């Protein structure tokens, strides 16, 4: 079978090859479409990651609070609920069920609903990592914070979290890469990310091999970039004698 990479230079309407592979004057080539889809994938992933880090961090802390059994139960329930419901099901719940009970959500774009669903789904996984990181610290660190007069908030802010977050960078790297891969389910609610582009472009051009190889390459580039960024962060954040050598990408 002969490969035809020129398919990416073709106009999406009349299938005529465009010089330079990028459309002009309102014309859109498959290359334009693919790069736009990549942008949507990155946007969904980064915004969902931001939500996951903030919510997951808070829930993870709640699960380790001393003398706060109801907050601990709430954190545990959050993790068990959102971690055990498949992501695709959660996206359909946000897209179809939630707006039925909250009419104001009917005007929210599908892009926002996907970001919320993916962010909250991932927050349950990050919360578990934050909890594990906090519980892996020597108990004396909490006591040391209390001994100098810190409140519970100050003990977490200045003593526990700075060390716990350093410890969990390797699993956070995996979750960050996973969130990019999981963003592919956004096609289910018509967000034009890479997976939707691949499905539609393959149908229109009949060049599935070329299309899926190109899309796979963009996913690989994204994952590699994340790996390198997180490896750099881990290296800069290491505390000598406290954090083991990186397993996020090998330095």
């Amino acid at each position: 079978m002969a490969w035809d990479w020129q398919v990416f230079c073709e106009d999406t309407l009349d299938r005529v090859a465009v010089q330079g592979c990028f459309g002009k004057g309102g014309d859109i080539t498959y290359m334009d479409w693919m790069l736009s889809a990549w942008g949507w994938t990155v946007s969904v992933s980064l915004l969902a990651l931001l939500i996951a880090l903030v919510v997951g961090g808070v829930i993870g802390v709640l699960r380790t609070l001393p003398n706060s059994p109801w907050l601990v139960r709430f954190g545990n329930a959050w993790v068990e609920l959102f971690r055990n419901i498949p992501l695709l099901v959660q996206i359909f719940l946000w897209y179809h069920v939630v707006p039925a009970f909250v009419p104001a959500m009917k005007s929210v774009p599908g892009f926002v609903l996907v970001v919320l669903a993916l962010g909250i789904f991932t927050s349950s996984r990050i919360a578990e990592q934050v909890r594990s990181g906090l519980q892996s610290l020597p108990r004396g660190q909490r006591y040391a914070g209390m001994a100098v007069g810190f409140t519970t908030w100050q003990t977490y802010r200045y003593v526990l979290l700075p060390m716990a977050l350093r410890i969990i960078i390797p699993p956070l790297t995996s979750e960050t890469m996973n969130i990019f891969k999981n963003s592919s389910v956004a096609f289910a609610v018509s967000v034009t990310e890479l997976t939707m582009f691949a499905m539609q472009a393959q149908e229109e051009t009949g060049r599935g091999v070329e299309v899926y190889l190109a899309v796979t390459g963009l996913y690989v580039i994204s994952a590699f970039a994340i790996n390198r960024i997180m490896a750099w962060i881990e290296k800069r954040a290491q505390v000598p004698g406290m954090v083991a050598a990186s397993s996020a990408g090998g330095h």
Side-chain angles (χ1 to χ4, degrees), residues 44 88 91 114 182-193 196:
V44 168
L88 191 58
I91 287 178
V114 166
N182 289 337
S183 68
S184 63
V185 299
F187 83 91
V189 291
S190 301
V191 176
T192 53
E193 44 70 61
M196 174 169 278

Side-chain angles (χ1 to χ4, degrees), residues 33 57 66 68 93 95 99 103 119 128 146 176 191 197-198 213 224 236 244:
W33 186 8
S68 300
L93 287 174
Y95 196 77
E128 182 67 15
M146 297 168 59
T176 305
V191 176
F197 160 77
L213 281 176
F224 182 76
R236 293 294 299 270

Side-chain angles (χ1 to χ4, degrees), residues 85 88-99:
I85 298 177
L88 191 58
V89 173
Q90 293 192 39
I91 287 178
F92 277 109
L93 287 174
W94 279 93
Y95 196 77
H96 295 290
V97 178
V98 173

Side-chain angles (χ1 to χ4, degrees), residues 6 20 28-29 44 61 66 103 120 146 178 185 196 228 240-241:
Q6 192 177 358
I28 299 176
T29 65
V44 168
V61 168
I120 291 176
M146 297 168 59
N178 282 337
V185 299
M196 174 169 278
R228 291 297 86 203

Side-chain angles (χ1 to χ4, degrees), residues 217-230:
L218 292 180
Y219 276 117
V220 170
I221 290 172
S222 301
F224 182 76
I226 294 166
N227 182 278
R228 291 297 86 203
I229 291 170
M230 295 298 287

